[in-house]
């Protein structure tokens, strides 16, 4: 096992190539459910869970079904179907087995189907030809990066309630400006490398 | 169906990006050169129109419980077609848009229009809706591209004009690279939406307000 490699994948997914502020994946839920820290962290948790699981399930499908039969051009269709049914399945499973967790994540789970970060992570796994463990690590840490940024952003938005801005910027635009400043601060991580 | 009203809705009053706030990811990510913007806009326009037509045709057959899954399969099919076509005929564009072509599947604009328009209206109206919403999306992309490319790189028409280099308007060394980076995307989109809100709210304040409440 190459721990250094896994560590640099994790570091890249969380800070350097953060899914939201560096790659622009998953902007819709990022903007949509970031009004309060609680809902934001619930969404973040759900995303970690689904991204990790989707990476774990799509890897064998791609490796053992799509590649041997030369069907890789069907990746998009296959993966989105897998993700949609996975989300549906997780929802049903949690409802039965872990009602407490279901209550906490409940509302956010269906939204995740159309979260481009999930499809994005799966497609990137195949593009970078990651192995199984690398894929799962990339999926989970990508979700952690999502959680980090969305919680930061939600706390900023909570504070912003008390500020004033030009009227035309009401609502969405001022949130985008705040997101832009977070992106600016995350640029400080670019070029960060792990040397062992 | 009122064609003119649909056109105005698509471009301004119900613009998918600035008013409905859908499909943000691609708007922020790929608007760095004019070529990217036009290519992405037209790809979405084609996929949106085709998906709208097929879904409008099937709207009475698809059971309402699994409609979202059905829509996604239809959309994913068209996205794959466009993806393969771009790879074959415009490899440069396909390379620079990269991941964001397959990600059109989860672009909320297309699913959103399928759910809110094509599943309730006839084929012709849905096709027009697809074209006009696609035009509205392309318009925002082009505005974003022109602004970001000019301020970030100092050129106009990158990827198309002057052998792909673009026409240099601001001399080298002056432009702020940050406008091409993610920061610039967020700030430009904020400015574009703010300008749109300013313009739309000016003449008829009450109407746009009530639309916001209705959403």
């Amino acid at each position: 096992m190459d721990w250094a490699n896994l560590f640099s994948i994790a570091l890249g997914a969380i800070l350097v190539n953060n899914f939201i502020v560096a790659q622009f994946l998953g902007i819709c839920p990022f903007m949509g459910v970031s009004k309060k820290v609680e809902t934001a962290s619930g969404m973040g948790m759900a995303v970690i869970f689904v991204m990790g699981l989707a990476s774990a399930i799509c890897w064998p499908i791609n490796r053992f079904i799509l590649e041997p039969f030369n069907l890789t051009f069907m990746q998009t269709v296959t993966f989105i179907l897998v993700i949609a049914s996975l989300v549906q399945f997780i929802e049903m499973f949690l409802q039965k087995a872990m009602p407490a967790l279901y209550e906490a994540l409940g509302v956010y789970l269906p939204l995740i189907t159309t979260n481009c970060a999930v499809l994005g992570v799966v497609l990137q796994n195949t593009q970078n030809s990651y192995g199984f463990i690398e894929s799962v690590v990339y999926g989970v840490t990508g979700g952690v990066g999502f959680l980090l940024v969305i919680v930061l952003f939600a706390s900023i938005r909570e504070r912003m309630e008390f500020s004033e801005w030009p009227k035309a910027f009401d609502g969405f635009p001022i949130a985008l400006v705040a997101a832009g400043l977070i992106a600016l601060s995350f640029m400080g991580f670019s070029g960060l490398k792990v040397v062992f | 169906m009122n064609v003119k009203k649909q056109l105005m809705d698509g471009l301004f009053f119900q613009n998918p990006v600035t008013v409905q706030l859908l499909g943000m990811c691609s708007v922020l990510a790929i608007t760095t050169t004019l070529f990217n913007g036009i290519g992405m806009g037209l790809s979405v326009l084609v996929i949106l129109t085709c998906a709208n037509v097929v879904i409008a045709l099937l709207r009475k057959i698809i059971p309402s419980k699994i409609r979202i899954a059905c829509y996604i399969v239809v959309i994913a099919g068209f996205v794959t077609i466009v993806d393969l076509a771009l790879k074959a005929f415009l490899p440069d564009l396909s390379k620079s848009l990269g991941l964001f072509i397959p990600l059109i599947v989860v672009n909320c604009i297309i699913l959103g229009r399928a759910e809110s328009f094509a599943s309730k209206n006839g084929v012709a109206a849905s096709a027009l809706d697809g074209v006009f919403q696609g035009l509205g999306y392309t318009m925002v992309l082009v505005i974003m591209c022109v602004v970001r490319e000019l301020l970030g790189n100092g050129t106009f028409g990158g990827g198309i004009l002057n052998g792909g280099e673009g026409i240099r308007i601001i001399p080298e060394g002056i432009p702020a690279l940050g406008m091409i980076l993610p920061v610039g995307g967020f700030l430009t989109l904020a400015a574009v939406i703010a300008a749109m809100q300013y313009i739309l709210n000016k003449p008829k304040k009450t109407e746009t307000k009530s639309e916001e409440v209705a959403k």
Side-chain angles (χ1 to χ4, degrees):
Chain A
M1 183 82 55
D2 192 356
W3 290 104
N5 185 24
L6 290 185
F7 183 69
S8 73
I9 288 178
L11 193 70
I14 296 175
L15 296 177
V16 185
N17 283 317
N18 185 288
F19 273 78
I20 298 177
V21 293
Q23 303 189 43
F24 292 122
L25 296 173
I27 300 287
C28 299
F30 174 62
M31 290 293 170
V33 288
S34 56
K35 287 222 172 92
K36 282 196 182 132
V37 174
E38 283 165 34
T39 52
S41 51
M43 183 71 187
M45 295 293 180
V47 166
I48 295 180
F49 196 59
V50 175
M51 273 168 79
L53 217 55
S55 306
I57 292 178
C58 288
W59 188 85
I61 291 179
N62 184 52
R63 181 77 185 73
F64 297 117
I65 299 176
L66 295 183
E67 277 179 6
F69 294 104
N70 231 346
L71 284 172
T72 41
F73 65 90
M74 290 293 281
Q75 265 174 358
T76 319
V77 184
T78 319
F79 290 162
I80 189 71
L81 275 180
V82 169
I83 292 168
S85 40
L86 177 72
V87 170
Q88 195 75 51
F89 181 75
I90 295 175
E91 205 182 335
M92 292 192 301
F93 175 77
L94 286 183
Q95 204 172 6
K96 279 268 179 215
M98 288 177 251
L101 188 61
Y102 177 76
E103 289 279 298
L105 300 183
V107 205
Y108 310 110
L109 272 173
L111 283 177
I112 292 180
T113 313
T114 52
N115 183 341
C116 30
V118 181
L119 186 60
V121 81
V122 177
L123 288 171
Q124 281 182 354
N125 282 338
T126 63
Q127 272 176 10
N128 300 343
S129 45
Y130 282 155
F132 181 72
I133 295 180
E134 287 168 319
S135 299
V136 176
V137 168
Y138 190 56
V140 171
T141 51
V144 174
F146 184 93
L147 174 72
L148 174 70
V149 174
I150 200 172
V151 168
L152 280 177
F153 184 56
S155 358
I156 292 178
R157 276 182 96 168
E158 278 187 354
R159 295 285 298 251
M160 271 184 351
E161 302 262 306
F162 306 107
S163 357
E164 282 180 26
W165 51 74
K167 212 160 182 210
F169 275 84
D170 259 353
F172 208 70
I174 196 71
L176 277 173
V177 172
L181 294 178
I182 297 185
L184 189 64
S185 63
F186 267 73
M187 264 168 63
F189 291 116
S190 65
L192 194 66
K193 262 187 202 156
V194 196
V195 183
F196 283 90
Chain B
M1 211 53 211
N2 189 342
V3 176
K4 200 179 161 203
K5 182 178 173 295
Q6 264 190 309
L7 176 64
M8 293 308 281
D9 272 355
L11 287 183
F12 302 105
F13 302 117
Q14 286 296 317
N15 186 294
V17 182
T18 58
V19 179
Q20 301 179 51
L21 307 173
L22 300 173
M24 291 291 148
C25 307
S26 50
V27 173
L28 290 165
I30 53 94
T31 49
T32 47
T33 63
L34 191 60
F35 187 49
N36 277 358
I38 293 176
M40 186 72 184
L42 293 184
S43 311
V44 169
L45 193 152
V46 169
I47 294 169
L48 184 56
T49 311
C50 296
N52 263 2
V53 168
V54 171
I55 288 165
L57 279 173
L58 295 175
R59 70 184 188 280
K60 296 205 173 104
I61 306 170
I62 296 176
S64 69
K65 271 190 183 160
I66 54 159
R67 63 183 193 287
I68 301 288
C70 299
Y71 298 160
I72 286 186
V73 175
V74 171
I75 296 166
F78 284 114
V79 170
T80 309
I81 295 172
V82 169
D83 188 16
L84 293 177
L86 285 183
K87 266 186 195 143
F89 299 113
L90 289 167
D92 288 346
L93 183 66
S94 168
K95 205 172 273 173
S96 70
L97 294 180
L99 202 58
F100 285 90
I101 290 285
L103 283 180
I104 296 177
V105 180
V106 281
N107 191 321
C108 340
I109 293 175
I110 300 172
L111 199 59
R113 293 320 287 179
E115 171 79 6
S116 69
F117 197 93
S119 60
K120 297 183 192 114
N121 291 284
V123 177
S126 301
L128 280 179
D129 181 70
V131 173
F132 294 149
Q133 291 283 328
L135 280 179
Y137 176 77
T138 313
M139 185 183 79
V140 176
L141 280 186
V142 168
I143 295 174
M144 294 267 301
C145 289
V146 169
V147 172
R148 282 180 76 185
E149 201 191 332
L150 184 66
L151 295 179
N153 205 15
T155 54
F156 174 77
I160 312 172
L161 303 170
N162 200 6
E165 292 275 300
I167 298 166
R168 182 156 291 284
I169 294 173
I170 301 176
E172 260 174 82
I174 297 176
L177 185 66
M179 291 305 284
I180 295 284
L181 296 173
V183 196
F186 283 115
L187 296 183
T188 318
L189 186 60
V192 169
I193 295 180
M196 206 78 163
Q197 284 188 355
Y198 183 72
I199 295 165
L200 287 183
N201 281 337
K202 232 179 182 180
K204 24 187 159 178
K205 219 164 191 171
T206 45
E207 200 190 291
T208 39
K209 273 272 166 63
S210 62
E211 271 174 17
E212 272 167 26
V213 173
K215 276 203 305 180

